[in-house]
Amino acid sequence: DAGVIQSPRHEVTEMGQEVTLRCKPISGHNSLFWYRQTMMRGLELLIYFNNNVPIDDSGMPEDRFSAKMPNASFSTLKIQPSEPRDSAVYFCASSEGGIRLYEQYFGPGTRLTVT
Amino acid sequence: KQEVTQIPAALSVPEGENLVLNCSFTDSAIYNLQWFRQDPGKGLTSLLLIQSSQREQTSGRLNASLDKSSGRSTLYIAASQPGDSATYLCAVSYNQGGKLIFGQGTELSVKP
């Protein structure tokens, strides 16, 4: 399997612009997670989906952030408008139950810089 | 509040040493615990997953133990190598298929 795929790998944008991050989970996985990593706060969950339905979005910072999962093989995280404090590495992860025991597998991340 | 703490924050050892990384969690009612490795500028690689009913898991030179009642886990690395240099992260989940709560990590440096 190709693993979790994220795009773009790097994004540099100016404050106020819209940013869209994309994720393709591992085929067959039914849970998808978006995490953000910063030096100050470490790794934190933003939102996660189970069977394409958002389950916990308590980590989404504010209304500028939104996430969708239109089907089992694709999810987006959108920031509009972006701000310098959104600069971070955004990771997507996926998991499944059964013999996989809900072990989470992470993508390579998108490094976002907002100037 | 559910929190995960890792000690030490950084560790430097000579090649060949056996070492232990520590992880503690405030709420012992975990569903499972995962240890990850993160290389600089890279994503997370899952090393070991321990279910709440298990005491330990082993993979090659790595052994992770879990003491749920005391809220602790350790990652034991045998015969360390320079290639083991990375940040090691501990994370717990409290629900089946739920989110992970991460510690801040231990940055390991193994000197040749």
Side-chain angles (χ1 to χ4, degrees):
Chain A
D1 200 313
V4 177
I5 298 172
Q6 291 187 247
S7 65
R9 295 292 309 277
H10 302 272
E11 177 81 34
V12 180
T13 191
E14 293 184 346
M15 183 174 63
Q17 296 298 305
E18 178 179 295
V19 176
T20 299
L21 310 181
R22 298 173 176 80
C23 175
K24 176 178 170 55
I26 293 173
S27 178
H29 283 195
N30 60 354
S31 294
L32 183 141
F33 306 81
W34 284 101
Y35 293 91
R36 180 170 67 175
Q37 186 176 37
T38 62
M39 288 293 292
M40 289 294 294
R41 300 177 65 89
L43 266 160
E44 296 180 303
L45 178 85
L46 297 175
I47 185 171
Y48 82 91
F49 297 83
N50 187 258
N51 293 322
N52 312 336
V53 176
I55 303 300
D56 181 352
D57 65 354
S58 59
M60 296 286 264
E62 48 201 88
D63 291 345
R64 297 184 299 105
F65 284 67
S66 63
K68 293 182 180 180
M69 191 163 188
N71 57 62
S73 59
F74 183 67
S75 177
T76 59
L77 178 68
K78 186 175 293 187
I79 307 173
Q80 166 62 18
S82 57
E83 297 182 1
R85 60 188 167 134
D86 301 331
S87 297
V89 181
Y90 291 80
F91 288 104
C92 177
S94 68
S95 72
E96 65 172 336
I99 61 172
R100 292 294 184 188
L101 303 174
Y102 297 103
E103 183 173 3
Q104 291 192 21
Y105 294 86
F106 280 67
T110 295
R111 182 173 296 276
L112 174 64
T113 303
V114 183
T115 61
Chain B
K1 185 180 178 184
Q2 294 166 334
E3 294 182 338
V4 178
T5 303
Q6 291 186 245
I7 295 173
L11 181 65
S12 181
V13 300
E15 181 177 4
E17 269 203 11
N18 302 323
L19 58 99
V20 174
L21 308 181
N22 296 292
C23 172
S24 61
F25 40 96
T26 54
D27 183 346
S28 63
I30 65 170
Y31 177 76
N32 63 30
L33 182 147
Q34 270 185 266
W35 281 95
F36 293 89
R37 167 186 174 137
Q38 185 175 29
D39 293 284
K42 304 292 185 183
L44 281 68
T45 300
S46 180
L47 297 173
L48 290 163
L49 178 145
I50 309 180
Q51 292 182 274
S52 61
S53 59
Q54 297 176 318
R55 297 284 296 187
E56 65 178 343
Q57 281 286 344
T58 298
S59 176
R61 294 183 294 108
L62 305 180
N63 176 277
S65 67
L66 174 64
D67 184 343
K68 229 181 81 164
S69 61
S70 66
R72 295 179 188 276
S73 175
T74 61
L75 180 67
Y76 175 83
I77 302 177
S80 58
Q81 302 170 358
D84 295 330
S85 298
T87 296
Y88 290 80
L89 293 152
C90 166
V92 299
S93 172
Y94 288 96
N95 306 102
Q96 180 175 290
K99 69 181 183 183
L100 288 172
I101 299 173
F102 283 85
Q104 290 288 356
T106 294
E107 185 176 356
L108 172 66
S109 175
V110 181
K111 304 296 186 184

